[in-house]
Amino acid sequence: MQDRQITLTRFIAAAPDAVWRCWTDPTILPNWFGPQGFSCKTKEIDLTAGGQWRFDMLGPDGTIYATRHRYHIMERPNHIAFLLDADDDASAPFQVEVTLDPEQVGTRITQVMTFPTAQMRAGALAYGADRLGQTTLDKLSRAASEL
């Protein structure tokens, strides 16, 4: 299974409730989600189990990446799970598991992405998904510290 996974982890100097809110408040999530230099334009957002967030991620070069998160676990205050795909049923989704654990005076976030195949994981690593994911966690950290 590890040949299909990318794991990101980070300590965030904000309470778990603040980090949870960043993930589950529809007015906050689109403002921080995505790598540095990217922004999100929401088409539809329902951040509940059974809901989905459909959005275009806009790259710094103007490229538009259609994206969909289909949420199946939203367990306050520490567990979120969703399928991520290209906002269509033709592309194979991958699973994202987010856990938020209290740590000292903040939160340890762990995000595990499980791809359908090892080749899809290798492709994601080739374009820098691990590095770009860390810049996304930087943006989350800033958003949570402002709450």
Side-chain angles (χ1 to χ4, degrees):
M1 173 90 76
Q2 281 191 327
D3 67 333
R4 296 188 301 120
Q5 292 182 328
I6 297 173
T7 300
L8 305 174
T9 187
R10 158 88 48 102
F11 173 78
I12 296 176
D17 283 344
V19 180
W20 177 264
R21 185 171 168 211
C22 288
W23 274 99
T24 60
D25 185 323
T27 63
I28 298 173
L29 178 62
N31 292 320
W32 68 263
F33 191 83
Q36 187 64 41
F38 288 70
S39 62
C40 297
K41 182 177 178 186
T42 296
K43 301 176 196 174
E44 171 187 347
I45 192 164
D46 176 2
L47 302 174
T48 61
Q52 65 182 1
W53 179 29
R54 295 179 54 245
F55 60 100
D56 287 333
M57 188 173 299
L58 309 171
D61 64 356
T63 302
I64 297 172
Y65 302 92
T67 308
R68 175 175 59 181
H69 295 180
R70 289 179 284 162
Y71 297 93
H72 53 92
I73 298 174
M74 295 294 272
E75 294 174 348
R76 186 180 182 100
N78 64 352
H79 188 202
I80 299 167
F82 57 93
L83 295 175
L84 189 153
D85 62 34
D87 198 17
D88 63 34
D89 294 328
S91 60
F94 61 91
Q95 173 74 27
V96 180
E97 294 268 345
V98 177
T99 56
L100 308 173
D101 294 308
E103 183 177 302
Q104 298 172 356
V105 294
T107 306
R108 170 67 54 185
I109 183 170
T110 303
Q111 182 173 313
V112 179
M113 297 169 279
T114 304
F115 295 84
T117 66
Q119 292 78 16
M120 287 181 72
R121 175 190 179 264
L125 287 171
Y127 74 74
D130 51 346
R131 178 184 46 80
L132 294 170
Q134 288 295 339
T135 71
T136 298
L137 294 182
D138 287 341
K139 289 170 63 178
L140 169 59
S141 182
R142 285 193 300 276
S145 70
E146 292 173 1
L147 294 180

